[in-house]
Amino acid sequence: MHRIIDQLLFLIDNIPGEFRHMSELEISQRPAPQKWSKKEILGHLCDSAINNLDRFIKIQYEKQPFLLTPYDQVHWVKIQGYQELPFDEVMNLWVSLNKKIYICS
C-alpha cells in the first residue's frame, strides 16, 4: 500500500509539469469526434477521484461487504463540461482531489 501511495504522490507532483509543456490546442483537441481530448481525460480522472473518494470514505464505516455503485463516465465528463473549462481549473481540481485521496488513505 505504501508503494501505491508513493506513486500517487509522485503523480500529483509531476503531472502538472508534464502538461505545462503542451499547447492549449494539444490539450484541448479531440483526436476524433467521439474521442476525449487530454483535458477531458484529465476531467474523467477528476470524476474517478470524486467517486473513489466517496468509496474510500464509506468503506471505512458502512456495513460490509461494501457495494460499489457504478457511474456513467461519458455523462459525467459531458455534464461537468471539462472541454469548456480553463485547463488550469481542471488541473487544479485533479491535484486537489488526489491530495484529498492521499489524506484519506
Side-chain angles (χ1 to χ4, degrees):
M1 185 66 152
H2 291 292
R3 186 171 156 256
I4 293 170
I5 292 170
D6 290 344
Q7 288 175 334
L8 177 59
L9 287 174
F10 176 83
L11 292 172
I12 291 169
D13 289 341
N14 290 286
I15 293 293
E18 293 296 320
F19 275 92
R20 282 190 203 104
H21 299 291
M22 296 180 204
S23 69
E24 180 64 35
L25 179 63
E26 187 178 359
I27 291 168
S28 298
Q29 189 172 32
R30 291 181 174 138
Q34 298 303 316
K35 299 286 185 179
W36 288 340
S37 66
K38 289 176 176 62
K39 188 190 311 187
E40 289 171 306
I41 292 169
L42 188 63
H44 162 66
L45 295 175
C46 291
D47 296 339
S48 294
I50 290 166
N51 280 276
N52 286 329
L53 182 58
D54 178 69
R55 293 168 180 163
F56 296 155
I57 292 169
K58 288 179 179 177
I59 201 167
Q60 295 180 54
Y61 67 86
E62 286 194 355
K63 184 179 174 183
Q64 301 298 317
F66 179 74
L67 301 175
L68 294 178
T69 304
Y71 69 101
D72 186 325
Q73 62 186 14
V74 173
H75 281 105
W76 274 66
V77 168
K78 184 178 179 180
I79 292 168
Q80 295 275 37
Y82 293 116
Q83 187 68 2
E84 292 75 34
L85 292 176
F87 178 72
D88 287 346
E89 189 174 324
V90 180
M91 179 58 73
N92 290 338
L93 179 61
W94 180 84
V95 168
S96 295
L97 287 166
N98 282 284
K99 283 182 178 180
K100 190 68 174 167
I101 288 172
Y102 165 73
I103 291 167
C104 290
S105 56

